[in-house]
Amino acid sequence: EDQVTQSPEALRLQEGESSSLNCSYTVSGLRGLFWYRQDPGKGPEFLFTLYSAGEEKEKERLKATLTKKESFLHITAPKPEDSATYLCAVQPFSGGYNKLIFGAGTRLAVHP
Amino acid sequence: SQTIHQWPATLVQPVGSPLSLECTVEGTSNPNLYWYRQAAGRGLQLLFYSVGIGQISSEVPQNLSASRPQDRQFILSSKKLLLSDSGFYLCAWSGTRGPQHFGDGTRLSIL
């Protein structure tokens, strides 16, 4: 069964304290892996797509990496405005449409 | 550029009342459309998806239904709401490949 597990569930950082969020996945053929940011009371906002092991994408203080079994979202020198829930989703080759399977997310709180 | 609109933002309804949530997409044609429900601390649960007008697929059995009367309009409905229908409902669109893009959601509370 296709599955996505994110860890930790919650993470508290001091401003400037770098860390990484993990997304482990089991899927019968990976078409793509997606990272989203979700603010309270809002819909998820698309951040990155990764398609193959070894691929990396960067945006401001965020860098996403991908291996054959997991993805990491690295946050360098975070600021309070980076506080949000970060969601990971995988797109399997099977499914017949643009299906995404989401993890439960990591709640990130960055304190000044 | 493409935009997605979802309304209302919040809704409070009594048990047994009907429901209609609407979602529209601008700036693209023939999108895939999706309805999700998100429970606190849990991932997004796909409820319905549509690859074209009048084509609706349901992922989970439930008290809800969906319709796509126009290419860029997706509606989530219920004839009689249950307490268990409370939650955060999200509409999304995508192309045939690539990421899904979400609206800002509707917070539904059933009393």
Side-chain angles (χ1 to χ4, degrees):
Chain A
E1 181 183 351
D2 299 331
Q3 192 169 338
V4 178
T5 303
Q6 291 188 246
S7 61
E9 290 185 12
L11 181 62
R12 178 188 171 112
L13 298 174
Q14 289 298 122
E15 184 172 3
E17 179 187 2
S18 301
S19 188
S20 296
L21 313 183
N22 178 264
C23 171
S24 298
Y25 62 89
T26 304
V27 64
S28 52
L30 180 70
R31 189 189 297 278
L33 184 142
F34 304 90
W35 281 99
Y36 289 84
R37 169 192 171 125
Q38 186 175 23
D39 292 306
K42 298 292 186 180
E45 175 190 353
F46 168 68
L47 293 174
F48 303 111
T49 306
L50 301 167
Y51 290 109
S52 57
E55 188 175 1
E56 299 182 354
K57 292 279 181 70
E58 285 190 68
K59 180 179 180 180
E60 296 181 353
R61 294 176 293 282
L62 300 176
K63 183 169 79 172
T65 61
L66 180 64
T67 72
K68 289 186 177 180
K69 294 183 178 180
E70 58 191 349
S71 176
F72 292 93
L73 185 65
H74 306 279
I75 303 177
T76 302
K79 298 181 178 181
E81 54 261 43
D82 295 322
S83 298
T85 295
Y86 291 86
L87 299 171
C88 170
V90 298
Q91 184 177 57
F93 276 109
S94 62
Y97 65 100
N98 197 6
K99 176 180 182 179
L100 293 184
I101 301 167
F102 282 86
T106 293
R107 295 189 313 277
L108 174 66
V110 182
H111 296 269
Chain B
S1 64
Q2 302 89 359
T3 56
I4 180 169
H5 303 281
Q6 195 178 338
W7 68 92
T10 59
L11 188 60
V12 181
Q13 293 283 94
V15 169
S17 64
L19 173 73
S20 180
L21 302 181
E22 190 164 341
C23 172
T24 60
V25 180
E26 297 177 358
T28 186
S29 58
N30 196 30
N32 288 356
L33 296 172
Y34 311 84
W35 279 112
Y36 288 87
R37 180 165 53 207
Q38 185 176 32
R42 300 181 65 179
L44 279 69
Q45 180 188 36
L46 180 63
L47 303 176
F48 301 95
Y49 68 91
S50 172
V51 298
I53 295 175
Q55 301 179 59
I56 308 294
S57 296
S58 173
E59 285 289 298
V60 293
Q62 59 205 305
N63 183 43
L64 302 169
S65 62
S67 62
R68 184 171 178 173
Q70 300 181 43
D71 181 44
R72 290 169 289 177
Q73 184 184 28
F74 206 23
I75 297 171
L76 184 69
S77 303
S78 174
K79 292 182 179 178
K80 287 186 177 182
L81 285 167
L82 307 173
L83 283 174
S84 58
D85 291 324
S86 292
F88 190 49
Y89 289 84
L90 289 158
C91 180
W93 75 270
S94 77
T96 53
R97 296 285 186 267
Q100 295 177 13
H101 301 277
F102 290 83
D104 276 341
T106 295
R107 175 73 60 191
L108 176 63
S109 300
I110 310 299
L111 302 179

